[in-house]
Amino acid sequence: MRTDIVKIDRNNIDIKEMRHAGEIIREGGLVAFPTETVYGLGADALSAEASGRIYAAKGRPSDNPLIVHIAEFKDLAAIAQQVPSQAQALADAFWPGPLTMIVRKNSKVPYETTGGMDTVAVRMPSDPIALELIRQSGGYIAAPSANTSGKPSPTMAEHVALDLDGKIPLILDGGPVQIGLESTIIDLTEEIPMILRPGYITREMLTKVIGDVETDPGLIAADSDRKPKAPGMKYKHYAPKADLVLIDGDEEKVVAKINELTAEAEARGERVGIIGTDETIARYSRGEVVSIGAREDEDAIAQHLYRILREFDDLGVDRIYSESFATPRIGQAIMNRLLKAAGHQVLTV
Ligand code: TXA
Ligand code: MG
């Protein structure tokens, strides 16, 4: 199959192109598109066959449910058994935006879309290209991140093309995404709403709107026996090809340790990638050194993380040493992704 890549200007959307993309989805096909978090791989969420094509293209396990993307709040009620009381307040505060809510599904949503679950994850993205595509496609787009299963999520159309070229008919290229980490997922079917995946919308922000919010205990500890409630969080996601280790602690000590480990690895004949910050990169003398951004600029760190992991894959480094980024606001989300990519290998100095 030939894959077309069409540039779309989000400030001046070409409606003809969007209508064509919508037609592909209405006919059961797949279209990759930008959202504010990461690129998604979209299909008609209300069609079992269309959802099935997503799993095939990504090589995704079929028990891992998809997020249904909508463009109007009322469309949530059309696919839910009932709309939980907190959903309206959360939507007023954060939709359109990087928040996914889990509710009980009704029979309109096929089990192929929800990986066999009786609940459905729903999100209204804020990227105008995504919203226009949803409208042109009939209102409900099932979309996981548009990467091959097990690769970092795509933050640029080029990443999507590398993973899915020849497997899908169309990629809408809206340039680099704004946030760079997948949406926060909150489960509203629990007595106390529970965060299943941390993201740009933090627990503090959610608590301000709906009161008590818990975090899935299965997310927190690496050695926990508890399975994460979001099936996708149990897979080794976001994994670069190289062995990744995080070095945590006082800045001076971290830099010294990374320099020491890099020298040792290079002496063994290995190629090393280093993820530092604007403040530290000049102090690394060996290896392929990249800055993820300024340490105080949490948004830049989130935005650059997946691209850097992919770049190291392309360079074919054997080992990556990264500083740790437990920054105040979205640090929990950044570290959740980095720790998974590192298989929880952390060295504290
Ligand atoms: O930002 C995002 O959410 C992006 C963009 C494209 O919208 N999408 C995304 O989708 O990250 P995906 O498929 O890569 O991740 C969806 C996560 C998976 O971990 C999945 O297991 C979980 O959501 N999930 C989906 N439906 C669920 C449900 N009914 N119950 C529990 N977890 C669910
Ligand atoms: Mg994903």
Side-chain angles (χ1 to χ4, degrees), residues 267-284:
R268 291 193 298 268
E270 295 174 359
R271 284 186 73 196
V272 177
I274 296 173
I275 305 178
T277 58
D278 289 356
E279 292 84 353
T280 57
I281 48 164
R283 283 181 270 156
Y284 295 114

Side-chain angles (χ1 to χ4, degrees), residues 12 70 72 104 110 119 125 164 212 216 242 245 283 285 314 319-320 322:
N12 183 18
I70 58 173
E72 313 283 343
R104 284 185 214 293
T119 55
L164 298 176
D212 258 6
D216 180 1
V245 181
R283 283 181 270 156
S285 44
D314 295 343
R319 210 164 273 284
I320 303 168
S322 176

Side-chain angles (χ1 to χ4, degrees), residues 30-48:
L30 304 182
V31 175
F33 63 100
T35 82
E36 71 281 20
T37 57
V38 299
Y39 273 76
L41 176 59
D44 180 356
L46 305 187
S47 155

Side-chain angles (χ1 to χ4, degrees), residues 6-15 17-18 34 127-130 132 172-175:
V6 174
K7 279 209 163 54
I8 305 286
D9 176 356
R10 67 170 52 66
N11 300 312
N12 183 18
I13 293 179
D14 183 335
I15 293 295
E17 292 290 2
M18 298 305 296
D127 187 308
I129 302 172
E132 187 57 36
L172 299 176
D173 179 356

Side-chain angles (χ1 to χ4, degrees), residues 210-265:
I210 54 167
D212 258 6
V213 172
E214 290 181 338
T215 301
D216 180 1
L219 275 186
I220 297 163
D223 53 358
S224 170
D225 296 335
R226 309 178 76 141
K227 264 208 247 140
K229 272 202 73 191
M233 299 301 279
K234 75 178 182 243
Y235 297 108
K236 195 187 179 215
H237 247 187
Y238 323 113
K241 289 179 202 139
D243 200 40
L244 168 62
V245 181
L246 309 188
I247 319 295
D248 189 36
D250 172 67
E251 186 178 285
E252 282 308 312
K253 288 187 182 152
V254 167
V255 171
K257 190 68 189 178
I258 291 180
N259 274 325
E260 177 194 323
L261 290 167
T262 303
E264 284 169 16

Side-chain angles (χ1 to χ4, degrees), residues 124-176:
M124 190 193 296
S126 65
D127 187 308
I129 302 172
L131 288 170
E132 187 57 36
L133 181 66
I134 295 165
R135 290 193 194 101
Q136 295 289 348
S137 303
Y140 303 92
I141 295 186
S145 48
N147 52 295
T148 300
S149 216
K151 286 251 216 158
S153 294
T155 55
M156 314 194 292
E158 290 79 358
H159 298 162
V160 180
L162 282 167
D163 285 11
L164 298 176
D165 187 41
K167 295 185 172 161
I168 61 174
L170 181 61
I171 300 171
L172 299 176
D173 179 356

